[in-house]
Amino acid sequence: MGKHEKLLLKILSGTSDSNLHFEDLCDLLKNLGFEERIRGSHHIFRKEGVVEKINLQRDEDKAKPYQVKQVRNVILKYKLGGKINVQI
């Protein structure tokens, strides 16, 4: 299991929303096909076929827990987790 798969499993499990590195979350979204636009401190992610936009801001070097939850909801809603969605 690779780095992105482990992070995806961690996000989908919901056990450590307050302990995810911001850069890792951004890398995962890019790996899932999201395009990133940066406006000041806001990192905005969009993907064709996904209605919601994901707006992330760092909390020092971590991602904000409520934003991790938003990412999880989008991944589950659009079944972006591949085989991992089936395992949860």
Side-chain angles (χ1 to χ4, degrees), residues 30-47:
K30 289 185 243 178
N31 186 264
L32 291 173
F34 284 83
E35 293 182 20
E36 179 182 25
R37 189 180 88 213
I38 301 172
R39 297 214 109 166
S41 65
H42 295 262
H43 293 248
I44 302 163
F45 293 88
R46 303 282 308 195
K47 179 179 171 124

Side-chain angles (χ1 to χ4, degrees), residues 3-72:
K3 175 184 172 183
H4 289 117
E5 290 83 10
K6 288 180 184 177
L7 181 59
L8 188 57
L9 185 59
K10 197 175 190 182
I11 291 169
L12 293 177
S13 71
T15 57
S16 57
D17 288 357
S18 61
N19 198 27
L20 290 175
H21 288 276
F22 179 81
E23 291 300 328
D24 291 342
L25 187 58
C26 290
D27 287 344
L28 176 69
L29 288 171
K30 289 185 243 178
N31 186 264
L32 291 173
F34 284 83
E35 293 182 20
E36 179 182 25
R37 189 180 88 213
I38 301 172
R39 297 214 109 166
S41 65
H42 295 262
H43 293 248
I44 302 163
F45 293 88
R46 303 282 308 195
K47 179 179 171 124
E48 189 173 325
V50 175
V51 176
E52 297 86 353
K53 68 179 175 185
I54 299 173
N55 184 358
L56 302 179
Q57 290 176 286
R58 65 175 70 240
D59 186 8
E60 296 182 10
D61 67 333
K62 303 287 185 191
K64 294 182 178 185
Y66 78 92
Q67 293 173 341
V68 175
K69 184 177 179 183
Q70 290 173 346
V71 169
R72 177 173 45 254

